[in-house]
Amino acid sequence: MKPTVFLDREVPLEVEKFIAEHCTIDKWDGEGQIPRQQLLEKVAHANGLLTAGASIDAEFLGHAPHLKVVSSISVGYNHFDLIAMKERGIIGTNTPHVLNDTVADLAFALILGTARRVAELDRYVKEGHWKKGDGKTLFGTDVHHAKLGIIGMGRIGEAVARRARFGFEMEVAYYNRSRKLHTEELLGVHYSELNELLAESDFVVMLAPLTPETNQLIGKEQFSLMKPSSIFINVSRGQTVDENALVEALQAGTIAAAGLDVFEKEPIPPDHPFLQMQNVLTLPHIGSATTQTRNDMAMLAAKNLVYALTGQTPPSIVDELR
Ligand code: DGY
């Protein structure tokens, strides 16, 4: 008998066909995200779950007595309760590698967009404010040859550093829990302690995954070290930053601008101060959201799911659950 899997979101047809060759599929085809209660009911008979952000904790696992694998269509897996999953022997998988360049492109879109005020000045033109002689009110900041500080030098960090070094001739420093000597040599980047990186960078890009160690890693004290002209970019997870401290730093001119793809609460609440700030570029968590990359991620997640249920080693089991 084929194993049963639950898909809590739509996947491309060819991905669904691949899963169907090996598994019996049940799937959510309602609007938006499946409500938690319905998900708990759906997983009661499932051997595998394909998701992208469902919280896999003790409560969830209590409702899923037959579950063997949770395959997430994401590189981040902060929605996995690793202790609870390990206790139950659940295999947890993610989708690294295939999204590196796409997320790095978006980090650069935010760097360029904030530095050259792209969204703000697009509104300016469309709202009919463009007159001759606007001059320096439209000036931005140079990206080329500026100093970039990367927090979290994993595979995406390397892809950002490559663009910065070879595309924009930037000086690149990075902070990471371990030194990356090969990357330093290959890309001409240098390691820096966090405080030093914050104090010296023109652009700081947060790429560290959300873990207990990186939760609220950047707060009031850290923003106070940054230059008033500096720009903060976050394409990791909103919780790596104390959002109130970021709002205050932007309002007080402690830093100049921020480019944010991720937020403490997503979708961002409609009354959030960021939404009123011209110097904050906000995106709806689209780091990996191109058609090609999301298809590649879905196919990799499908392989992880199927392999785990058919006695093969999934291509990308998360490190902590090996
Ligand atoms: C991921 O894969 O974790 C990204 O945040 C999704 O865009």
Side-chain angles (χ1 to χ4, degrees):
M1 211 169 71
K2 283 181 179 177
T4 300
V5 295
F6 183 68
L7 317 184
D8 81 354
R9 63 200 52 238
E10 200 183 338
V11 293
L13 198 57
E14 76 172 310
V15 173
E16 192 170 326
K17 274 191 188 151
F18 167 73
I19 300 173
E21 282 167 24
H22 309 274
C23 307
T24 303
I25 295 181
D26 183 14
K27 63 179 181 184
W28 170 246
D29 45 22
E31 281 287 300
Q33 202 178 347
I34 182 170
R36 174 80 171 174
Q37 195 49 44
Q38 287 187 50
L39 177 64
L40 296 182
E41 285 158 24
K42 286 290 189 185
V43 293
H45 305 287
N47 305 117
L49 170 69
L50 191 78
T51 183
S55 180
I56 310 302
D57 50 19
E59 183 209 28
F60 174 93
L61 295 175
H63 285 76
H66 308 289
L67 198 72
K68 291 204 173 80
V69 55
V70 179
S71 170
S72 188
I73 312 173
S74 63
V75 66
Y77 49 91
N78 48 291
H79 50 297
F80 286 178
D81 178 337
L82 297 168
I83 295 172
M85 288 173 75
K86 204 167 184 118
E87 251 173 45
R88 264 284 306 277
I90 302 286
I91 301 170
T93 65
N94 66 341
T95 56
H97 308 293
V98 291
L99 77 185
N100 296 346
D101 284 316
T102 299
V103 178
D105 284 353
L106 190 85
F108 254 90
L110 286 169
I111 291 172
L112 292 164
T114 45
R116 301 303 300 272
R117 303 164 56 196
V118 172
E120 178 195 346
L121 296 181
D122 171 67
R123 282 192 297 274
Y124 177 86
V125 173
K126 287 181 180 156
E127 288 167 7
H129 303 296
W130 188 16
K131 301 183 287 317
K132 278 216 161 103
D134 289 339
K136 39 187 217 184
T137 58
L138 310 184
F139 287 1
T141 302
D142 278 331
V143 173
H144 66 86
H145 298 95
K147 289 188 182 173
L148 174 68
I150 298 177
I151 302 174
M153 186 54 98
R155 293 166 293 247
I156 298 172
E158 285 180 13
V160 171
R162 201 171 302 116
R163 283 157 176 73
R165 294 285 300 128
F166 306 130
F168 293 84
E169 298 180 62
M170 299 174 89
E171 183 184 325
V172 178
Y174 75 96
Y175 170 71
N176 198 56
R177 59 188 167 176
S178 58
R179 284 282 292 269
K180 296 288 185 84
L181 296 177
H182 179 66
T183 308
E184 288 178 26
E185 200 177 320
L186 192 71
L187 301 180
V189 301
H190 62 272
Y191 179 81
S192 174
E193 289 304 332
L194 181 59
N195 287 354
E196 194 186 321
L197 177 147
L198 293 166
E200 290 179 1
S201 300
D202 299 306
F203 298 88
V204 172
V205 180
M206 169 55 84
L207 284 167
L210 177 62
T211 63
E213 293 74 41
T214 62
N215 191 26
Q216 309 253 313
L217 180 65
I218 306 298
K220 191 178 166 73
E221 193 189 321
Q222 288 69 30
F223 286 121
S224 76
L225 298 171
M226 291 174 67
K227 301 192 251 191
S229 56
S230 65
I231 295 181
F232 181 77
I233 306 292
N234 192 356
V235 277
S236 159
R237 288 292 182 269
Q239 294 84 349
T240 56
V241 177
D242 175 345
E243 235 171 47
N244 292 331
L246 177 53
V247 169
E248 275 170 29
L250 288 158
Q251 281 168 342
T254 311
I255 66 169
L260 308 171
D261 185 40
V262 289
F263 301 89
E264 247 170 49
K265 188 167 179 344
E266 296 179 2
I268 188 168
D271 58 348
H272 198 293
F274 287 152
L275 303 182
Q276 302 304 323
M277 299 169 105
Q278 290 282 20
N279 56 346
V280 179
L281 190 49
T282 52
L283 292 178
H285 199 149
I286 51 155
S288 62
T290 64
T291 306
Q292 180 67 52
T293 292
R294 282 290 170 88
N295 283 353
D296 293 347
M297 289 167 74
M299 188 48 103
L300 176 53
K303 286 186 180 153
N304 282 325
L305 181 75
V306 167
Y307 285 23
L309 293 172
T310 54
Q312 303 166 75
T313 306
S316 42
I317 304 180
V318 308
D319 283 344
E320 295 86 339
L321 294 172
R322 276 180 192 282

